[in-house]
Amino acid sequence: MSMEKAQPRPPEPEGCLTAFIRIPVRIVVLVVVVPVRMVWDVLVVCARAVERALLRPLGRALAWIGTQLLAPLFRGVATVALWLGKALFVWPWVALWRYVLVPVGRYGVAIPSVWLYREVLTPLGQGLVWLLRRVGVALFVWPWVALWRYVLVPVGRYGVAIPSVWLYREVLTPLGQGLVWLLRRVGMALFVWPWVALWRYVLVPVARYGIGGPVVWAYRWVLAPLGRGLDFLAVGLWRYGIAIPSVWLYRAVLTPLGHALVQLGRALFVWPWVGLWRYVVVPVVRYGIVAPLVWLYRRVLVPLGREIADAFRVCWRIAGYISRAAGRALKWVAWNLAGRPVRWFYRSVCTPVGHWVRDQVWAPAKRAAVEAGRAARAALASARETVRRARQDAWHALVGGPRVTEPGEPVVASTRTLGSTTTASGAAPAPEISLRKRG
């Protein structure tokens, strides 16, 4: 087994074709790919440089401007616009509602209306309801109640109901029962009993012994045997005269004739086309078209496509190495020709100038802007307090009442000492007064 494994295997035709295709394809692809890869690397380097040197600082500058300048400016403008809008469109209507409409509606309309309803309209309405109820009852209820109770009820009970009940119970009921018994007997004698006698003693005997008996006898002893004989005769005639000869004719003559006609039709119209398809068209298509195309696809196109794809991958990597080497060389040349002088100029000239601008120009301007912002906020707070006090003064002028003083810091009396004998931190000495001088 080890000797068989150690023996080299002969190269297959596909491997030979692949090795024959690989080197030219890779050379051609390398020639095509190297310029493309170098252009791609140049574009990537330029894009990174633009992003690092232009877009990122520009984005940081825009973010700083938006955060440090535009945001406070927009907040200040929004605050001023908000206060201006409130002063023009909100506070007048709020003051009108709170200090004019609400007091007028409460003390000029609501309270008088409630007093009028509670003290005048409610008692007046209750009195009118009581009066109308009494008058209505006296005019529209009591006369009809008295008429029903003292006239209609006695007249209906003793003049109509009791005599009618006695007449129905003592006279009409016995008379009706007698008439019903009489009519039932007369009706039975005139309309029922004659028909019952006719059906029972005439029609039933005539139908049973004059019609039914002869008909049953004729069906049982004449018609039934005659029908069975005719049925036997018809079945035999159908079986031995029509069915059996027809089956024999179908099996012995028509079936062989039909089979022969079917075979003749197949031989004339089916078998030639089947033979043409099976022995001409299928072999020509299979071995003349499909097999060469499959061989061409498997042995030529697939290896060629695989080698082209591998060549593109390998050549793209090789072109990357070449492009990086060229790029490093160009970078070294550019750094020594332009980078070093620019760095020296930035460190030796631009940095000191920038530090001086930051310390001597930008820092004072920033402090001045901060102080201006604080002064503006203090002015807005003072204006807000002035407006609030003016609103309170207007309210007290309209309504009246004691003015409520705002809570503030408690006034602390200065610390009193016993003259120059004792001292307290932050306390002024008070003059000594004896008890005799106080009186």
Side-chain angles (χ1 to χ4, degrees):
M1 294 296 292
S2 61
M3 294 178 63
E4 291 179 359
K5 289 183 179 179
Q7 292 178 359
R9 297 179 60 185
E12 297 180 356
E14 183 180 357
C16 296
L17 183 61
T18 302
F20 178 74
I21 293 173
R22 181 175 300 163
I23 296 175
V25 167
R26 290 193 177 183
I27 293 173
V28 173
V29 170
L30 182 61
V31 172
V32 174
V33 166
V34 167
V36 176
R37 180 58 186 264
M38 295 185 71
V39 173
W40 174 260
D41 290 339
V42 169
L43 293 177
V44 170
V45 171
C46 293
R48 289 178 180 175
V50 169
E51 189 270 337
R52 185 181 304 160
L54 180 62
L55 297 181
R56 190 180 299 175
L58 181 61
R60 290 175 181 174
L62 292 177
W64 182 85
I65 291 172
T67 304
Q68 302 295 329
L69 297 180
L70 296 181
L73 180 61
F74 288 157
R75 283 197 295 268
V77 172
T79 303
V80 173
L82 181 62
W83 282 99
L84 184 62
K86 287 183 178 180
L88 292 178
F89 301 103
V90 178
W91 291 343
W93 298 103
V94 171
L96 178 64
W97 172 260
R98 184 177 296 173
Y99 305 115
V100 178
L101 296 180
V102 171
V104 170
R106 179 178 295 173
Y107 301 104
V109 178
I111 294 176
S113 300
V114 171
W115 178 85
L116 180 64
Y117 172 78
R118 184 179 298 168
E119 302 297 335
V120 178
L121 296 179
T122 299
L124 181 61
Q126 291 176 355
L128 289 176
V129 168
W130 181 84
L131 180 61
L132 291 175
R133 183 180 298 172
R134 296 298 180 182
V135 172
V137 169
L139 293 178
F140 300 103
V141 177
W142 290 345
W144 298 104
V145 170
L147 179 64
W148 171 262
R149 183 177 297 173
Y150 300 109
V151 178
L152 296 179
V153 171
V155 171
R157 179 179 296 173
Y158 300 104
V160 179
I162 294 176
S164 299
V165 171
W166 179 86
L167 180 64
Y168 173 77
R169 186 180 297 170
E170 302 296 336
V171 178
L172 296 179
T173 299
L175 180 61
Q177 291 177 355
L179 288 176
V180 168
W181 180 85
L182 180 62
L183 289 176
R184 183 180 295 172
R185 294 298 179 180
V186 172
M188 292 289 291
L190 292 178
F191 300 103
V192 178
W193 290 346
W195 297 102
V196 171
L198 179 63
W199 171 263
R200 183 178 295 174
Y201 300 110
V202 177
L203 296 178
V204 171
V206 168
R208 180 179 294 175
Y209 300 106
I211 298 174
V215 170
V216 171
W217 182 86
Y219 173 77
R220 183 178 296 173
W221 301 103
V222 177
L223 296 178
L226 182 60
R228 284 194 291 269
L230 291 176
D231 182 64
F232 179 76
L233 180 63
V235 170
L237 180 62
W238 166 258
R239 179 178 296 176
Y240 297 103
I242 297 174
I244 294 176
S246 298
V247 171
W248 178 83
L249 179 63
Y250 174 75
R251 290 180 180 178
V253 178
L254 295 179
T255 301
L257 182 60
H259 184 69
L261 290 176
V262 169
Q263 297 297 328
L264 179 61
R266 288 180 180 179
L268 293 177
F269 300 103
V270 177
W271 291 344
W273 298 103
V274 171
L276 179 63
W277 172 261
R278 183 176 298 173
Y279 302 107
V280 177
V281 176
V282 171
V284 168
V285 172
R286 178 179 295 174
Y287 300 104
I289 299 175
V290 176
L293 290 177
V294 170
W295 181 88
L296 180 64
Y297 175 77
R298 290 181 179 177
R299 303 298 180 180
V300 177
L301 296 180
V302 171
L304 183 60
R306 189 185 301 117
E307 290 301 324
I308 290 174
D310 294 339
F312 267 104
R313 286 195 296 268
V314 174
C315 293
W316 185 262
R317 190 164 56 249
I318 295 172
Y321 296 150
I322 297 173
S323 176
R324 289 191 187 94
R328 284 194 291 270
L330 293 175
K331 180 180 179 182
W332 182 84
V333 173
W335 174 252
N336 287 283
L337 292 179
R340 290 181 184 275
V342 170
R343 186 179 66 174
W344 176 85
F345 179 77
Y346 175 77
R347 289 183 178 179
S348 302
V349 178
C350 294
T351 300
V353 173
H355 290 174
W356 180 85
V357 170
R358 182 189 62 187
D359 297 333
Q360 302 298 327
V361 179
W362 175 249
K366 184 177 181 181
R367 286 194 296 269
V370 171
E371 294 297 331
R374 290 177 181 175
R377 286 195 294 271
L380 289 175
S382 177
R384 191 185 304 116
E385 183 66 22
T386 304
V387 170
R388 187 174 63 83
R389 290 185 178 180
R391 187 171 66 249
Q392 290 180 355
D393 294 338
W395 169 253
H396 288 296
L398 290 174
V399 178
R403 183 173 181 179
V404 180
T405 59
E406 296 183 356
E409 295 182 358
V411 178
V412 180
S414 60
T415 306
R416 186 174 180 276
T417 63
L418 297 177
S420 60
T421 57
T422 59
T423 58
S425 60
E432 295 182 359
I433 301 175
S434 63
L435 297 176
R436 183 176 60 186
K437 290 182 181 181
R438 290 184 182 180

